[in-house]
Amino acid sequence: MTSDIALSVKDLKTYFYTNNRCNKAINGVSFDIRRGKTLCIVGESGCGKSVTASTIMQLLPTLSRIEAGSITYHAERGDIRIDQLARNGAEIRKIRGAEIAMIFQDPMTALNPVYTIGFQIEESLKYHTDLSLKEIKKKAIDLLRDMGIPMPEKRVDEYPHQFSGGMRQRAMIAMAMSCNPKILIADEPTTALDVTIQAQIFKLMDKLKAEHDTAIMLITHDMGVVAELADEVAVMYMGNIVEAGSVDDVLRSPKHPYTRALLDSIPVLGQGKKQAIKAIKGATPDPYERPNGCSFAPRCDFATKECDVMPDEEYISKSHRIMCANYKAVS
Amino acid sequence: MLTFIIRRLLIVVPMLFVISFLVYLGLELTPGDAVSHMIDPEVASRISAEQLSEMREALGLNKSFLERYYIWIVNVLQGDFGHSLAGGVPISDIVFDRLPATLELSFIAIVFSTIFGCLLGVFSALKKGSLTDNSLSVVGMLGISIPEFFFGLVALLIFALNLQWLPIGGRLLPGYETIWDRLPHMVLPGFVLALMMTAGVMRYSRSAMLDSLSRDFIKTARAKGLPEWRINFIHGFRVALTPVIVLIGFRLPTLIGGSVIIEQVFQWPGIGNEFIAAVRGQDYPLVMMIALFSVFAVLMASLIIDVLTALVDPRVRLD
Amino acid sequence: MMSKSALDKKFDRIRSLEEAGKLKPLTGSRALRKMLNNRLALIGLIVFLVILLASIFAPLLTAHNPMKINLRDMLQAPSFEHILGTDKTGRDVFARILYGGRISILVGLGSALIGAFIGVGIGCFAGYKGGWIDVAALRLSEIFMAFPQIILVLLLVSIVGQSLINLMLIFVLTGWGAMYRLTRARVLSLREEEYVQALQSFGLSTWLICYKHILPNALGPIAVNITLTTAMFILAEAGLSFLGLGVPPSIPTWGNILIVAQDLRVLQNNWWLWLPVGMVISLFVMAVNFIGDGLRDSADPTLQG
């Protein structure tokens, strides 16, 4: 029996080289994505969440590269080292869309405005399946129906601008799910949508996970979403995963000062106006002026001398790991 | 689609009337009238004032401005464009005499510049930052910066005067000789006009293509695992097409109005050349009619642009 | 893996510098820095200034009078006395190019700036307020834009007659519409921005909002357009004068100097009469266009600088 791990990332480093500077956008992250489970990656904007997603898909911009580490996709036909595949080469193209699919943040701009929704869904099927054109058309309609789009026979021939935001994101998901991918990467899929629509989209994603045993990697900055959907959580800060574990581990007994600060900064519904919301002091450092040691140290209430050296990742339980020199003092 | 075209026509037609009125009014403000232009000043001094006013009456010049405009516009609508002051030739004869030459030259230039401009622009965008891209950018910049008549003169000097490969200008009448006799006359002006236009189309399609390639849907297409050619052409170029069509559409009026300066440099007997002669000779009716023809060409071109953009861009179509 | 690509080598270099702490954070205006980093735009600016200053300080650079006819020195080839030779009436070509630059640049840059001033002035207000001014200006600009530019210019020349002032007037008249439409379009989208609503709720006057708070945000594309219009007008002046229908031939301008090239014998035998001035026009227009490209790129946030 194969293991339930769909994709594993080890010590991944991705650096950006724009403006003749070197930005260590991802500075050594490791995690696994499991079948039928949702891994949530949380963090502030600019912490490297989206870069991680792009790296896995080999969708990085020209002025960036994978420096070290590995991305291993555990396919049925054997392990594939995605980090070693040529960008936009034939092998990665076979995986993209078919085995690992991605949904983007803004459904308004992620769809091509001059083609019908149907055309854009069918395109994926044309390249990754052997279905006939007729079957493809039928499948596109079925997909839209599955995503809860009313009158799919009619809407399949409509253009993106005729769809509402939520509908477009459903169409995006239909497109991503068209070839039954093993892994679905969703990069803040609901940030651009209304709250009520958000709930519908998440429900849909949960359903897909259960029905197709898809591994989901969900990128978000919303702790509420994490609590709702995640099986596992990884908290990212400045290109590192500072704390990772099961939902219970991370949300119920957070160990890293950053995770705690994040959780403390969320207002809780029903607690009224009197609740004390603690903001995290200071601001995210300039990515070019990273501290030598723990990157959260300058903003951390518990920082000591030991934090001047980059802390190692430590497992505090089988599932729960943390990157902090002083986590014992914190709890 | 039909209602779309009709709606646009409803804007174009009144526009033509307003412009014809303004042009007529403008020329009314110029010194002299048809009579003083037709008669030599020396002759005029010998003619009595009565004779002059009789002539004016015969030409309807004593009527009020609005009446004359009405008579004129009715004539124009019936295909009577009036007469040139120089020699009294019907303007329609002049226009239809010159139109084939202009069409011939402009058609070559537009087709050539559209094909090569788009190809080079897209190629340049796909190879952004490469040596080819940089060289093409410099060539494109030269193309839009060198005055077209200067470029024409240099080409004339090299290929016609020094190397004597090609004739210095003019055009042989169709049917007069075989196509092989006429072709050499066409090469230089056609080549110069086409190159100048290509530079503009190339620069424009390059930036349209770059803009299109930087959009989010390109990343989506890539994430679907599509091959690069399909991402670049089916997705990228298709979206870049709309602005490029608009630019090329703006060139269409040269089909009728001609390229005034190039026709002059190569003594190409087209409408542009005739227009210059008319402006120099203060042949106001002819100036006015050619200007109106070119306005008509512009408005028709914008109609064609609208229809074409509606065809390629569903967002416009369903508005 | 095969040997490292040039890009990889560049990355390695940047990374080692970065890790050695040798790269300084970027300071100053991002747009300005991008402009200065753009080599072509910088060269364009220098060429522009050199030609502009040479024209302004023409008397310091040449002792010859551009109008002075000297029939004894007709059609002389370039020499120490006449750097670029003399024309058919013995006038010094170099002096004519320098002094001609004054008029050509005045016509090109001046008309573009006046046209921009009018177009932006109306466009900003009309775009913000809407109403009859907007409708009227829009219709008017549509009328002007229904003509091919050169046909409209020639039509107006034949109506108002040929003079320097008339030519500038005609250029302004044909050029304001595009500026108006550009400004109007920018203002139409800017006025929906929240900061404008905030200013309205503070009770600021319309004038203050549109000229002090909206206009500066629309200046980027306007500046680019001014460069394009300047280049277009310089080319148009040269072309019209070459046809003998622009600036009256008695005044030296770049286009007027080139009239002689219509004579094929001059074209073949007296290169100094037309080649240098043609190259000066091309260089100047190219400089202006490079500045325009630089401005456009520096205003574009998607481009790295």
Side-chain angles (χ1 to χ4, degrees), chain B residues 27-297:
Chain B
L27 292 172
E28 185 71 15
L29 301 174
T30 56
D33 58 24
V35 171
S36 59
H37 279 286
M38 279 195 305
I39 302 168
D40 211 86
E42 270 182 45
V43 182
S45 60
R46 276 186 268 125
I47 298 176
S48 68
E50 283 135 48
Q51 273 175 302
L52 275 177
S53 67
E54 262 173 41
M55 289 179 76
R56 293 211 156 90
E57 203 159 329
L59 287 166
L61 292 175
N62 55 344
K63 295 206 173 72
S64 78
F65 170 70
L66 284 176
E67 272 178 295
R68 270 178 296 137
Y69 173 72
Y70 177 76
I71 293 168
W72 176 77
I73 196 83
V74 167
N75 282 339
V76 168
L77 288 176
Q78 289 169 346
D80 175 8
F81 300 141
H83 295 264
S84 156
L85 291 182
V89 187
I91 290 174
S92 48
D93 287 3
I94 298 178
V95 169
F96 288 113
D97 193 31
R98 299 305 178 111
L99 197 58
T102 290
L103 273 175
E104 190 174 282
L105 194 61
S106 306
F107 185 75
I108 294 173
I110 287 177
V111 170
F112 181 93
S113 65
T114 303
I115 295 172
F116 285 90
C118 284
L119 277 179
L120 292 174
V122 168
F123 182 75
S124 204
L126 291 177
K127 300 267 171 203
K128 192 187 175 223
S130 69
L131 187 66
T132 328
D133 174 37
N134 289 337
S135 336
L136 280 176
S137 296
V138 171
V139 172
M141 183 54 104
L142 278 170
I144 61 159
S145 300
I146 297 177
E148 48 183 356
F149 66 91
F150 181 66
F151 186 64
L153 287 173
V154 173
L156 193 70
L157 175 66
I158 296 174
F159 295 105
L161 292 176
N162 287 349
L163 297 173
Q164 302 203 325
W165 288 352
L166 296 159
I168 49 171
R171 171 180 183 257
L172 297 177
L173 286 170
Y176 194 76
E177 308 273 337
T178 66
I179 178 84
W180 298 111
D181 292 319
R182 292 195 290 134
L183 196 64
H185 290 264
M186 227 170 350
V187 172
L188 262 187
F191 175 73
V192 169
L193 194 58
L195 277 190
M196 301 309 277
M197 282 190 179
T198 305
V201 177
M202 181 178 83
R203 276 172 59 86
Y204 202 74
S205 49
R206 176 180 182 270
S207 69
M209 187 71 184
L210 281 179
D211 180 61
S212 167
L213 286 178
S214 71
R215 307 277 194 85
D216 283 355
F217 58 75
I218 293 294
K219 203 174 173 185
T220 310
R222 212 161 257 143
K224 278 197 276 191
L226 303 181
E228 285 297 300
W229 69 264
R230 195 174 169 96
I231 296 169
N232 289 333
F233 292 99
I234 304 292
H235 284 274
F237 183 64
R238 181 64 166 66
V239 169
L241 200 58
T242 316
V244 172
I245 283 179
V246 173
L247 178 84
I248 293 164
F250 278 125
R251 303 286 166 91
L252 288 180
T254 41
L255 281 176
I256 293 181
S259 168
V260 174
I261 291 182
I262 291 292
E263 289 191 3
Q264 180 75 20
V265 169
F266 292 99
Q267 290 306 310
W268 189 258
I271 300 220
N273 211 349
E274 191 63 39
F275 188 64
I276 298 286
V279 171
R280 280 193 183 136
Q282 296 183 320
D283 190 345
Y284 295 119
L286 188 54
V287 170
M288 180 163 71
M289 274 325 295
I290 295 180
L292 283 181
F293 274 124
S294 59
V295 169
F296 179 74

Side-chain angles (χ1 to χ4, degrees), chain C residues 41-96:
Chain C
L42 204 60
I43 295 172
L45 194 63
I46 292 169
V47 171
F48 174 82
L49 287 176
V50 166
I51 297 179
L52 181 70
L53 292 175
S55 301
I56 293 175
F57 298 109
L60 300 178
L61 295 171
T62 176
H64 293 285
N65 180 337
M67 317 281 265
K68 194 173 163 223
I69 294 171
N70 182 350
L71 293 177
R72 220 174 286 167
D73 290 341
M74 267 166 36
L75 278 176
Q76 287 191 352
S79 63
F80 187 71
E81 172 65 16
H82 299 284
I83 306 175
L84 293 175
T86 60
D87 68 4
K88 278 179 177 167
T89 51
R91 296 173 295 193
D92 182 72
V93 175
F94 182 62
R96 284 178 69 75

Side-chain angles (χ1 to χ4, degrees), chain B residues 11-28:
Chain B
I11 304 172
V12 167
V13 173
M15 190 86 171
L16 265 174
F17 275 103
V18 170
I19 289 175
S20 71
F21 182 78
L22 288 176
V23 171
Y24 199 83
L25 180 68
L27 292 172
E28 185 71 15

Side-chain angles (χ1 to χ4, degrees), chain A residues 13 15 17-24 62-65 67 87 286-289, chain C residues 4 7-15 18-19 23-26 30 33 304-305:
Chain A
K13 292 184 181 182
Y15 294 175
Y17 293 91
T18 42
N19 297 332
N20 278 322
R21 297 286 309 258
C22 171
N23 178 2
K24 302 183 173 181
T62 322
L63 292 179
S64 60
R65 72 174 169 185
E67 300 285 327
R87 262 182 211 185
D286 180 349
Y288 297 110
E289 304 290 321
Chain C
K4 283 193 166 178
L7 200 61
D8 268 326
K9 278 182 200 148
K10 189 182 162 205
F11 287 175
D12 288 340
R13 205 186 62 238
I14 297 173
R15 188 178 158 187
E18 184 76 48
E19 280 168 356
L23 295 175
K24 294 277 168 299
L26 302 161
R30 186 178 147 88
R33 196 177 60 236
Q304 300 294 338

Side-chain angles (χ1 to χ4, degrees), chain A residues 24-284:
Chain A
K24 302 183 173 181
I26 308 183
N27 207 0
V29 304
S30 309
F31 57 86
D32 297 324
I33 308 177
R34 286 167 212 282
R35 299 220 170 94
K37 300 273 187 236
T38 302
L39 167 73
C40 272
I41 299 198
V42 260
E44 304 167 46
S45 40
C47 71
K49 301 171 294 196
S50 297
V51 179
T52 310
S54 299
T55 312
I56 293 175
M57 294 288 276
Q58 280 278 25
L59 285 175
L60 289 169
T62 322
L63 292 179
S64 60
R65 72 174 169 185
I66 300 172
E67 300 285 327
S70 66
I71 304 166
T72 314
Y73 168 52
H74 303 284
E76 276 160 23
R77 57 182 187 274
D79 288 358
I80 297 169
R81 281 286 296 274
I82 290 182
D83 55 300
Q84 289 173 348
L85 299 180
R87 262 182 211 185
N88 306 328
E91 294 104 308
I92 187 74
R93 285 209 313 265
K94 247 192 230 158
I95 297 175
R96 279 184 198 154
E99 302 184 49
I100 308 180
M102 190 161 176
I103 312 170
F104 295 94
Q105 179 170 348
D106 190 353
M108 306 289 168
T109 56
L111 289 165
N112 193 327
V114 303
Y115 292 114
T116 60
I117 297 287
F119 177 91
Q120 297 185 57
I121 296 174
E122 289 158 24
E123 223 180 3
S124 219
L125 291 163
K126 238 177 257 170
Y127 275 89
H128 299 301
T129 63
D130 301 325
L131 299 175
S132 70
L133 287 176
K134 230 175 164 183
E135 290 167 316
I136 285 177
K137 180 99 188 171
K138 192 178 162 295
K139 171 113 193 195
I141 295 170
D142 289 344
L143 277 163
L144 286 178
R145 187 180 296 116
D146 288 348
M147 298 306 138
I149 288 177
M151 290 191 293
E153 298 83 3
K154 184 170 155 281
R155 306 224 69 167
V156 75
D157 289 325
E158 289 188 351
Y159 291 91
H161 69 271
Q162 292 165 290
F163 276 49
S164 68
M167 288 289 184
R168 279 187 230 190
Q169 197 59 295
R170 282 163 195 265
M172 274 297 288
I173 297 176
M175 200 187 297
M177 294 308 293
S178 57
C179 305
N180 282 328
K182 302 281 175 291
I183 303 170
L184 178 67
I185 300 175
D187 187 357
E188 309 217 20
T190 58
T191 309
L193 304 176
D194 286 346
V195 186
T196 45
I197 313 288
Q198 274 190 25
Q200 295 172 6
I201 297 287
F202 286 139
K203 221 167 153 188
L204 184 61
M205 285 174 58
D206 247 1
K207 194 180 115 197
L208 294 172
K209 182 176 74 174
E211 283 174 10
H212 299 277
D213 203 27
T214 315
I216 297 180
M217 176 176 141
L218 176 68
I219 292 168
T220 180
H221 58 253
D222 188 340
M223 278 297 187
V225 171
V226 177
E228 188 97 5
L229 283 176
D231 298 300
E232 287 168 86
V233 187
V235 181
M236 273 190 92
Y237 184 76
M238 298 283 294
N240 289 109
I241 292 182
V242 292
E243 182 165 5
S246 67
V247 179
D248 280 348
D249 291 338
V250 177
L251 293 192
R252 291 195 196 279
S253 54
K255 295 288 188 245
H256 196 282
Y258 177 64
T259 317
R260 294 170 152 240
L262 265 188
L263 290 168
D264 283 342
S265 65
I266 303 165
V268 181
L269 199 64
Q271 295 238 353
K273 289 179 186 163
K274 271 177 254 157
Q275 60 181 310
I277 298 168
K278 277 187 260 167
I280 304 176
K281 71 173 182 189
T284 328

